[in-house]
């Protein structure tokens, strides 16, 4: 027997369902993977797909893993299964001692939070929550836009950048939900805010237009000072490569857990040195530490805040468990 492969599906409930472009997201489903070598060493990995971001389903990941039998022979994993590529490759890396092991997940504290982007709720509630996020140590905050009326949201943004300290930064995420005129309106406002040093800055506008409008977003980059980031456009390494080839030189938001092969992601980063911002896919601590290990290797310098402000969003205590404890819990 070479390397033994075992997997355990999981389901965990969000404390509050997440609002997504595809409706409420109440339960996070995924798959934990454990590799064991002939000397009894263990390596953990996680398959945490987001199907509406173009990933495979948990059932497809499970079918691929089951088809391997009980032995892992380092088969090539198809590009159609990006979350499975991440899960199995990171389990192999863990087995090889390349991802630190047994310690519990880092508790949320203000020191760690300075490097992590805090999440604000959509709408006017952001104004009330922003001081709490600052008190937790966050200096970069993310706010979803395109949820309410544009006039209201711009009004609240104008208030937010006054309320926040001038060294704080905001990321505005439209999830591809704006039209061109709205994107222009937002970027005009962002440029006006960013020209005033007394206000908090808008770090970037994230995915203003749908993924099929890359050329329009590239043209917007040339007309406005405020940076634009792609997220939905670049769910996988294959899509990162495609957008790079088509000339995108703005920010790329990357969720390692659904991006595909960590090796290919690292190769892309080394070759092109793109402006990457790493983000969580609401994975467990097992996927999180593998994703953070990639972020530590591939982030530009100075590293932008990590989009990993996702702990404490579930109605369970899993974030406090070691990988082995979590595995035993399932
Ligand atoms: Mg986004």
């Amino acid at each position: 027997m070479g390397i033994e492969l075992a997997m355990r599906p999981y389901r965990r409930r969000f404390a509050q369902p997440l609002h997504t472009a595809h409706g409420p997201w109440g339960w996070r489903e995924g798959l934990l993977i454990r590799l064991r070598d002939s000397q009894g060493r263990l390596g953990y990995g996680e398959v945490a797909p987001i199907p509406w971001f173009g990933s495979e389903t948990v059932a497809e990941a499970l079918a691929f893993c089951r088809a391997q039998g009980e032995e892992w022979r380092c088969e090539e994993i198809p590009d159609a299964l990006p979350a499975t590529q991440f899960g199995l490759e990171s389990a192999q890396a863990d087995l090889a001692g390349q991802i630190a092991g047994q310690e519990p997940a880092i508790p949320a504290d203000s020191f760690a939070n300075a490097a992590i982007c805090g999440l604000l709720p959509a709408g006017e509630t952001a104004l009330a929550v922003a001081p709490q996020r600052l008190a937790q140590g966050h200096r970069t905050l993310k706010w979803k836009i395109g949820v309410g009326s544009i006039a209201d949201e711009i009004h609240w943004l104008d208030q937010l950048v006054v309320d926040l300290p001038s060294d704080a930064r905001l990321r505005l995420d439209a999830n591809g939900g704006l039209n061109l005129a709205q994107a222009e309106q937002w970027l005009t406002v962002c440029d006006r805010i960013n020209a005033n040093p007394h206000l908090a800055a808008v770090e970037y506008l994230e995915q203003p237009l749908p993924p099929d409008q890359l050329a329009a977003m590239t043209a917007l980059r040339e007309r406005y000072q405020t940076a634009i980031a792609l997220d939905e456009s670049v769910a996988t390494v294959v899509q990162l490569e495609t957008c790079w080839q088509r000339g995108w030189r703005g920010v790329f938001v990357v969720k390692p857990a659904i991006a595909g092969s960590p090796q290919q992601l690292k190769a892309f980063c080394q070759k092109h040195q793109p402006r990457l911002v790493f983000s969580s896919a609401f994975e467990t601590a097992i996927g999180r530490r593998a994703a953070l290990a990639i972020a530590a290797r591939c982030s530009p310098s100075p590293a932008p805040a990590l989009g990993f402000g996702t702990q404490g969003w579930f109605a369970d205590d899993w974030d406090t468990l070691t990988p082995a404890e979590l595995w035993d819990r399932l």
Side-chain angles (χ1 to χ4, degrees), residues 117-161:
C117 180
L119 298 180
L120 295 176
E124 191 176 13
T125 326
L127 293 166
V129 173
Q132 299 169 28
R133 295 286 174 263
L134 293 175
Q136 289 165 342
H138 297 287
R139 281 294 169 271
T140 303
L141 301 175
K142 174 160 162 168
W143 188 43
K144 284 210 188 286
I145 62 164
V147 180
S149 92
I150 190 165
D152 283 344
E153 289 184 341
I154 287 173
H155 174 70
W156 295 324
L157 174 64
D158 276 323
Q159 188 60 49
L160 206 47
V161 293

Side-chain angles (χ1 to χ4, degrees), residues 44-277:
Y44 292 95
E46 176 176 357
V47 181
I50 308 181
W52 63 85
F53 243 84
S55 330
E56 68 274 41
T57 62
V58 175
E60 288 166 334
L62 200 52
F64 177 84
C65 291
R66 285 196 175 132
Q68 308 307 306
E70 285 175 11
E71 190 171 2
W72 174 240
R73 296 181 188 82
C74 304
E75 300 265 328
E76 188 160 336
I77 306 160
D79 283 343
L81 304 176
T84 308
Q85 289 178 332
F86 169 81
L88 279 163
E89 259 194 48
S90 48
Q92 279 175 243
D94 191 32
L95 189 63
Q98 292 161 357
I99 297 174
Q102 304 302 310
E103 74 279 272
I106 304 163
D109 64 36
S110 54
F111 178 75
N113 282 345
I116 291 175
C117 180
L119 298 180
L120 295 176
E124 191 176 13
T125 326
L127 293 166
V129 173
Q132 299 169 28
R133 295 286 174 263
L134 293 175
Q136 289 165 342
H138 297 287
R139 281 294 169 271
T140 303
L141 301 175
K142 174 160 162 168
W143 188 43
K144 284 210 188 286
I145 62 164
V147 180
S149 92
I150 190 165
D152 283 344
E153 289 184 341
I154 287 173
H155 174 70
W156 295 324
L157 174 64
D158 276 323
Q159 188 60 49
L160 206 47
V161 293
V162 171
D163 291 354
L164 291 170
S166 59
D167 66 342
R169 297 157 80 86
L170 273 170
R171 295 174 178 174
L172 306 182
D173 189 358
N175 291 110
L178 306 180
N179 61 36
L180 186 59
Q182 291 168 329
E184 288 169 336
Q185 197 177 344
W186 276 106
L187 285 163
T188 302
V189 170
C190 293
D191 278 2
R192 167 172 58 73
I193 289 169
N194 285 344
N196 184 340
H198 302 294
L199 302 176
V202 176
E203 185 180 10
Y204 54 69
L205 174 61
E206 183 171 325
Q207 194 77 41
L209 306 177
D212 61 0
Q213 295 182 37
L214 182 66
M217 288 188 278
T218 303
L220 286 174
R221 271 200 72 223
E222 285 163 17
R223 289 171 46 208
Y224 295 93
Q225 301 295 312
T226 303
I228 300 175
L230 298 183
D231 182 10
E232 281 83 350
S233 290
V234 289
T236 65
V237 183
V238 174
Q239 290 164 352
L240 278 170
E241 288 278 8
T242 303
C243 288
W244 184 271
Q245 299 309 335
R246 291 189 187 161
W248 181 260
R249 296 296 181 270
V251 179
F252 296 92
V253 178
V254 176
K255 296 173 172 63
I258 59 166
S261 157
Q263 292 299 335
Q264 285 176 29
L265 180 55
K266 283 178 202 161
F268 173 78
C269 294
Q270 279 161 8
K271 187 170 170 197
H272 301 300
Q273 315 250 307
R275 296 165 66 190
L276 294 189
V277 171

